[in-house]
Amino acid sequence: AGMTGGRLNRFNIVKQSKDYDQHGDYVRHWLPELKDVPTQFIHEPWKMNQFQQAEANCRLGVDYPNPIAKPFYPNATSG
């Protein structure tokens, strides 16, 4: 409804998560499998290498699912 042109809004969950939960407290509360993930990766755990995953007791595809879709990262041309 109301999609007659103009601006296309995209909800960027990673950006929102970083903006409103900077230290990952909310994420860690609701996703206990991420409780030991370092803050720098809490919003994007798929960026951890295998060594970091082992240290955090969070193996992607085993303890926490791999991303279903490629994450969207806006750039100057995409709005």
Side-chain angles (χ1 to χ4, degrees), residues 2-72:
M3 297 298 290
T4 59
R7 185 174 138 181
L8 176 63
N9 293 321
R10 290 195 172 125
F11 185 76
N12 185 325
I13 191 68
V14 172
K15 181 185 181 312
Q16 295 294 313
S17 184
K18 287 179 178 180
D19 286 350
Y20 295 103
D21 185 28
Q22 293 177 355
H23 304 290
D25 299 329
Y26 183 87
V27 172
R28 286 185 180 93
H29 176 80
W30 291 104
L31 299 169
E33 58 270 37
L34 299 181
K35 68 180 172 51
D36 297 325
V37 170
T39 300
Q40 73 186 74
F41 295 115
I42 194 67
H43 304 291
E44 299 172 293
W46 54 87
K47 289 187 173 182
M48 291 189 294
N49 63 36
Q50 289 182 345
F51 177 73
Q52 292 163 326
Q53 291 176 38
E55 281 190 331
N57 299 311
C58 182
R59 295 167 299 155
L60 294 177
V62 177
D63 304 305
Y64 187 78
N66 287 307
I68 295 171
K70 183 178 178 183
F72 172 75

